[in-house]
Every structure is written in C-alpha cells, then in structure tokens.
Amino acid sequence: MLVSEAPLLRLAIGRELASGFELIHSLGTTSAERRLDAGAMPDALVVDLDTAERTAVPNFLVRLVERGFVGPRVLLSTHFRPEPAAAYSASCLTHFALARPWRPGALRELMESVLGVAWPRAAAGGR
C-alpha cells in the first residue's frame, strides 16, 4: 500500500513498482485507514512522511501496530540523508527509510529485499 498525498510521488512510485507489485494507492493516512477497515491486506506499506498531515503519520503507524500489521513499512522523506537512511534500514526488521529523491531502482530493490522476493530483470521489463 502506498500512502501519499503527492500525485507526482505516487506516479514515480507506481512507475518503479508497477511491474511485479500490486499497488493500493491511498491519498493519506485517513484513506489508508479506510482501505484497511474495508479489508485491504497489504504485504508492505510505503509511507510518505513529507505530508501536510505530519501529526497524523505517527498515529497511523501506532494504529498499524494495534491492528497487528507486521509487514514492513518503508518511510520516505526529503529530510532523510541517503547514508543514515541506508544504515537505519539495515538495522531494523520492520521499518525502512529511503531518502527522496532516490536513485532509479532503489525503491524496487528495497521492496524486493524487505519482502524477500526478486524478479529476473528480463521479467521486470529489462529495468
């Protein structure tokens, strides 16, 4: 599930993950909560921290724990620096950080890694 208010970010993420991943788009945490309440069962979440509803994001992450969601959460932000974000991601089992902008393919590689899946490059459109 992709949680972001930003249309251009949703488009960029969609382009990177469209082949090989089924995406559920949410226009913020309220939309994501409604989708989860309606029965959406994502394997992972990509959450944009650079949002107008900044105070809602921590509460949303807490409610995920209360719901029993155990899947990985990839947190995106322009405020992350690439090196510390990579170090943080390497040290955690559930939360992963990715600095925006990321290098092409970095989000896909991170998602494949945290979900334990990989597709041959030819099957992924030669990317």
Side-chain angles (χ1 to χ4, degrees):
M1 177 181 288
L2 167 57
V3 183
S4 177
E5 299 170 337
L8 292 177
L9 181 61
R10 289 194 314 273
L11 181 63
I13 292 170
R15 275 193 304 243
E16 187 152 336
L17 299 180
S19 63
F21 295 95
E22 180 181 335
L23 296 176
I24 302 169
H25 291 266
S26 298
L27 303 176
T29 59
T30 303
S31 172
E33 297 244 22
R34 282 194 302 262
R35 291 182 181 274
L36 292 168
D37 289 341
M41 302 283 283
D43 292 324
L45 289 165
V46 177
V47 181
D48 178 16
L49 298 181
D50 300 335
T51 176
E53 57 176 10
R54 284 187 183 188
T55 58
V57 173
N59 294 332
F60 172 69
L61 294 172
V62 167
R63 285 190 299 276
L64 286 175
V65 173
E66 292 169 352
R67 289 176 180 270
F69 180 79
V70 296
R73 298 124 172 115
V74 176
L75 309 175
L76 303 174
S77 179
T78 56
H79 300 286
F80 293 154
R81 291 184 323 177
E83 296 80 19
Y88 175 75
S89 292
S91 68
C92 190
L93 298 176
T94 58
H95 288 75
F96 304 88
L98 187 61
R100 287 180 45 199
W102 59 88
R103 68 173 171 68
L107 178 59
R108 179 176 199 75
E109 290 170 9
L110 180 58
M111 291 302 294
E112 289 174 350
S113 173
V114 301
L115 292 173
V117 297
W119 289 272
R121 289 291 175 214
R127 292 184 186 156

